[in-house]
Amino acid sequence: MTDKRIELKQVPAPSRRAFLRGAAATGAGLAASAASGQSAPDPLITEVQDWASGTGDGVDATPYGLPIEFESDVIRRNVAWLTADTISSINFTPIHALDGTITPQGCAFERHHSGAIELSKSDYRLMIHGLVDKPLVFTYADLERFPRINKTFFLECAANTGMEWAGAQLNGAQFTHGMIHNMEYSGVSLRTLLHEAGLSAAGDFKDKWVYVEGADASSNGRSIPLEKALDDVMIAFKANGEALRKEHGYPVRLVVPGWEGNMWVKWLRRIEITDQAIESREETSKYTDTLEDGTARKWTWVMDAKSVVTSPSPQAPITHGKGPLVITGLAWSGRGAITGVDVTIDGGKTWQKARLAAPGQPMALTRFYLDIDWDGSEMYLQSRAHDDTGYVQPTKDQLREVRGLNSVYHNNCIQTWWVKENGEAENVEVS
């Protein structure tokens, strides 16, 4: 891995990682000019084309709709060297190729610790026990009978952007920031189920915990303060209107808004009310933040405000040449709602206020746009998010001053894309 740090006054030619070259070069036959009037007739307009000369597919051709072949490159992608085996690995969301904020389930990132399991609704059971008045076991059908709620939240892996701590490494927004998705979840409030079991036995809620565990072989378990569990945590069985996908925890998963993805336990099978944190493997060997002196911060659950320009970016180069250009990206905060996003095209020397596609929603992705007239000169694109707590997204150097270079998790730094005169883009740092 290489550290691609550049000075704005003098730009070296950083090399592109070979294994990402194919993805980054998608559609890279860069056009020389923007759309303009034509003097000669366009046969695509003046002549009858094949698609208008006969009938198309019938309504039963694809009983479950699939993307058209022309969008076949919009897929999740793995980084082969990131883990030893794909059974315990990550597939990244193609955020560079999406717009809006809702992530289709079919290309929403996945992270497994022992592979995605097949668990039917009829075999599903959820147990609530520990410091409750009445231990309970729910079937899937039982859960469907409780009052339903629908909420949209982002899920971000704590390791998202983690490879970038020491320098610019992965060449593509999909790989630097693609451990995230944003879906509308349907299900039941965890608070509802806990009250069904009764919490008087727990006494004072202040020092109580909820330990949640999945049904897969890894038995991934995490401790959550009871106050959070009673606030906004969900038991979800639908996403974007349909059943959860297998890789997202079918038939039931936990939703922990604003907090790191490892806590969103999939194939949820057990909830135990306890008087202390369990200190499981996932809360000790991983998902802590190692500081410069070797000590580790723990219980750093919240995902701080963050943003990234998704286009132009290494996998989404400028192909139309000079002229009108739409700069777009995503912003989010685990502490609340995004209130604004600034964009710079000169590496932070000057900033412009981006347009939010819609007012920011708590713990959900926000789409931003900046429309410019590109003159064809190189750019150093960055975005900087603000949330309703007053927090402002930091630079890498600001994070490093506090946390050093030993961290992996919770890297919410400002990202830089060096957009070259030919429209291609590179992951770099500026100084």
Side-chain angles (χ1 to χ4, degrees), residues 34-296:
S36 61
Q38 292 182 317
S39 58
D42 186 340
L44 288 173
I45 296 175
T46 61
E47 298 178 10
V48 177
Q49 302 300 317
D50 291 344
W51 54 81
S53 302
T55 57
D57 290 340
V59 295
D60 293 331
T62 52
Y64 189 91
L66 300 172
I68 196 166
E69 61 177 322
F70 309 120
E71 300 295 325
S72 61
D73 63 317
V74 183
I75 57 173
R76 292 180 289 222
R77 291 180 174 88
N78 186 22
V79 175
W81 51 262
L82 195 59
T83 59
D85 195 296
T86 56
I87 294 299
S88 179
S89 193
I90 300 155
N91 251 353
F92 300 79
T93 302
I95 58 173
H96 64 286
L98 303 179
D99 213 319
T101 58
I102 297 297
T103 312
Q105 284 203 71
C107 61
F109 104 97
E110 53 182 309
R111 167 71 166 114
H112 309 307
H113 293 265
S114 58
I117 64 172
E118 294 189 358
L119 176 59
S120 70
K121 292 178 181 178
S122 59
D123 289 335
Y124 179 75
R125 299 292 185 272
L126 171 61
M127 177 172 63
I128 297 181
H129 66 120
L131 298 177
V132 296
D133 304 334
K134 180 177 57 176
L136 295 172
V137 173
F138 300 95
T139 66
Y140 183 91
D142 291 334
L143 296 178
E144 289 189 306
R145 299 175 66 186
F146 284 92
R148 199 78 50 85
I149 57 175
N150 293 270
K151 300 284 185 179
T152 299
F153 298 116
F154 75 83
L155 184 163
E156 182 182 17
C157 180
N160 202 23
T161 320
M163 297 302 295
E164 303 296 302
W165 270 107
Q169 304 293 343
L170 301 177
N171 207 39
Q174 180 171 19
F175 304 103
T176 59
H177 291 73
M179 296 186 206
I180 192 168
H181 54 65
N182 191 67
M183 300 194 216
E184 181 193 51
Y185 294 97
S186 302
V188 180
S189 168
L190 176 55
R191 177 177 60 252
T192 298
L193 299 187
L194 293 180
H195 283 312
E196 187 75 10
L199 292 173
S200 60
D204 184 2
F205 293 170
K206 183 178 180 181
D207 297 318
K208 299 303 186 295
W209 296 75
V210 171
Y211 183 70
V212 292
E213 186 179 70
D216 59 316
S218 73
S219 297
N220 179 34
R222 291 297 301 264
S223 302
I224 301 173
L226 182 56
E227 294 98 322
K228 175 68 172 178
L230 292 172
D231 181 17
D232 54 8
V233 177
M234 289 178 62
I235 307 293
F237 39 79
K238 304 281 186 182
N240 297 344
E242 63 177 350
L244 293 168
R245 298 292 174 89
K246 177 175 70 173
E247 62 267 30
H248 298 137
Y250 179 94
V252 173
R253 80 169 308 158
L254 199 68
V255 170
V256 188
W259 288 23
E260 61 188 29
N262 182 257
M263 306 184 81
W264 296 46
V265 172
K266 295 183 286 190
W267 312 289
L268 181 67
R269 71 167 183 173
R270 186 167 74 90
I271 299 172
E272 180 182 3
I273 312 301
T274 70
D275 58 8
Q276 61 182 4
I278 298 301
E279 303 278 5
S280 70
R281 180 187 66 182
E282 300 301 321
E283 341 191 273
T284 53
S285 67
K286 294 186 290 294
Y287 300 102
T288 59
D289 303 321
T290 307
L291 302 179
E292 190 71 21
D293 63 1
T295 60

Side-chain angles (χ1 to χ4, degrees), residues 342-359:
D342 306 317
V343 173
T344 176
I345 65 174
D346 55 20
K349 293 179 180 178
T350 61
W351 294 88
Q352 302 180 62
K353 186 175 182 179
R355 172 174 57 88
L356 302 186

